[in-house]
Amino acid sequence: MDKRLIWLALGSFTISTEGFVISSLLPDIARDAAISVPLAGSLITAFALAYAIGTPILATLTGEWDRRRVILWTMAFFVLGNLAAALSSSFELLLIARIVMALSSGLFAATAQGTAVALVDDHHRARAIAVVVGGTTVAVAVGAPLGALVAAIAGWRGTFFAIAGFGALAGAILWYRLPRGIVGTRLPLRMRLAAALRPGVMPILVTTILALIGAFTVFAFVAPLAIEGGGLNPIALPGMLLAFGVGAVIGNIGGGQAADRFGATRTVCWSLALSAAMLMTFSLIPTFLPREIAGPALMAMMVPWGIVGWAFPPAQASRIIKLAPDAAPIVLSLNASALYLGVALGAGVGAAVLRYGAPADLGMVAAVFPIVGLGVVLAGRWAARLVAMPAE
């Protein structure tokens, strides 16, 4: 394995840590800014929308630029965004800083995967991408809990300072290690849109959006769910994120293996069904269990939820590649945009639930979306069987 892939994974780790730790910071940010937690949740919505919309546009504009140059600029803007967030004097400035981070994060992710492919031979492309994407998985398992722990000790601004420092270190290593002269291919936006209109691709993208809406209706507001719904102390938040991260690592590995052994569509169906059941549990636990039991039960649920939830992305990616193997980079980028659109909508749904209800309502509302997603998948299979039936 080319050791330079490790440094690209380090960049992915740094960027993804910020993306996953923010949910644990929302109550502290809301308190300091004198706003509600649902309004603070717009930090997640704005980030995800900017990522989903901005990434394909920026990737198109910079497609023919030197990959090293793009990566270094994205890391520089990511570091500046974190510093601006740490030093922000108002919620509006913090919101702008997160949008800057989203645009730089999305372009880094797209460029890093393309660079990883360019660094290896044709037979190791999938493994190279897996190494880079693995940085995100490690960020969920380790980076986000550590970021939450830093916040518990030094406040939410301390977390942004720490991520900025780590980002600067990652950028310096990438500046030293990445070669010059790797040039990408410019893919017009019309090609990306045309890929979305291929038969079967749009239902997959819709399913991805629905799955992530359900997940982030709860995950975006896991802090009020744990504190208000489960009676946990805020110091328990790093432990909850760690439990989720352990499950995510297991699910990410297991989801890919299950897709290969049992079929990607079957794996996606099981993931959606079990996700819906577990999301309901996040409402049932604080509603029916006493607070001294509800808190530990919520924390224990984070591991299986992480397993089930993170089994979905590799299986879904396998499904969309099978539909359009000749346009794999394009459809994967569309699926990534769908992921973040789902994150944005999920944070919005969760904010609405908290605005008109209670943290204990989050799970029941969230469960609706993977159930609808499961319906979309099953309807697609039924339609495909009808088409395949011989005419009498």
Side-chain angles (χ1 to χ4, degrees):
M1 182 183 69
D2 193 315
K3 293 182 179 180
R4 290 171 293 187
L5 297 176
I6 297 175
W7 307 122
L8 289 171
L10 177 65
S12 296
F13 168 83
T14 305
I15 283 173
S16 299
T17 293
E18 196 282 333
F20 283 99
V21 76
I22 187 68
S23 60
S24 66
L25 308 181
L26 292 185
D28 290 341
I29 291 173
R31 183 175 58 253
D32 287 357
I35 59 174
S36 66
V37 172
L39 180 56
S42 62
L43 292 172
I44 297 176
T45 302
F47 180 99
L49 280 176
Y51 193 111
I53 298 171
T55 298
I57 296 173
L58 291 175
T60 298
L61 293 174
T62 62
E64 296 176 344
W65 292 14
D66 183 277
R67 302 292 86 189
R68 178 178 181 272
R69 177 185 174 192
V70 174
I71 285 175
L72 294 180
W73 274 111
T74 55
M75 289 303 299
F77 276 102
F78 177 75
V79 170
L80 289 174
N82 276 275
L83 290 175
L87 299 170
S88 59
S89 57
S90 68
F91 180 74
E92 291 75 16
L93 290 176
L94 179 56
L95 191 65
I96 294 171
R98 284 224 85 212
I99 291 174
V100 171
M101 285 185 258
L103 295 174
S104 56
S105 297
L107 185 55
F108 176 90
T111 307
Q113 291 184 37
T115 304
V117 168
L119 290 174
V120 299
D121 57 57
D122 293 347
H123 300 293
H124 295 90
R125 287 183 174 182
R127 186 179 299 178
I129 293 174
V131 171
V132 176
V133 175
T136 298
T137 309
V138 176
V140 179
V142 179
L146 285 177
L149 184 60
V150 170
I153 298 171
W156 63 269
R157 295 180 189 272
T159 298
F160 283 114
F161 275 125
I163 294 173
F166 211 82
L169 174 62
I173 295 173
L174 289 169
W175 172 80
Y176 177 70
R177 293 290 296 163
L178 287 183
R180 291 179 173 86
I182 299 178
V183 180
T185 302
R186 184 169 185 171
L187 298 174
L189 283 174
R190 64 177 179 272
M191 290 182 62
R192 300 175 189 272
L193 295 176
L197 298 177
R198 290 192 179 194
V201 171
M202 189 57 70
I204 289 181
L205 298 179
V206 170
T207 304
T208 296
I209 292 171
L210 290 168
L212 270 293
I213 291 175
F216 269 80
T217 295
V218 171
F219 190 82
F221 298 101
V222 69
L225 176 63
I227 297 169
E228 298 175 34
L232 290 172
N233 191 292
I235 197 65
L237 289 176
M240 288 195 75
L241 292 181
L242 177 62
F244 181 81
V246 170
V249 172
I250 298 171
N252 190 56
I253 298 171
Q257 293 179 345
D260 290 338
R261 183 172 181 179
F262 304 110
T265 299
R266 182 176 294 181
T267 302
V268 164
C269 288
W270 276 107
S271 174
L272 291 170
L274 292 174
S275 291
M278 290 184 182
L279 290 170
M280 291 180 191
T281 306
F282 281 115
S283 283
L284 296 175
I285 287 175
T287 300
F288 294 103
L289 292 182
R291 289 174 70 86
E292 59 269 19
I293 300 176
L298 286 173
M299 183 173 289
M301 279 298 300
M302 296 298 283
V303 175
W305 185 37
I307 294 173
V308 169
W310 275 74
F312 176 84
Q316 189 75 328
S318 178
R319 291 181 72 216
I320 202 167
I321 289 175
K322 186 177 181 180
L323 275 179
D326 59 312
I330 300 177
V331 293
L332 284 174
S333 69
L334 288 172
N335 194 52
S337 290
L339 283 166
Y340 277 90
L341 182 57
V343 171
L345 294 173
V349 171
V353 171
L354 291 184
R355 193 171 287 116
Y356 299 106
D361 300 324
L362 288 168
M364 283 297 180
V365 174
V368 172
F369 296 96
I371 290 173
V372 175
L374 178 60
V376 171
V377 177
L378 294 177
R381 293 188 69 180
W382 179 73
R385 288 174 181 172
L386 283 181
V387 172
M389 287 177 62
E392 295 183 358

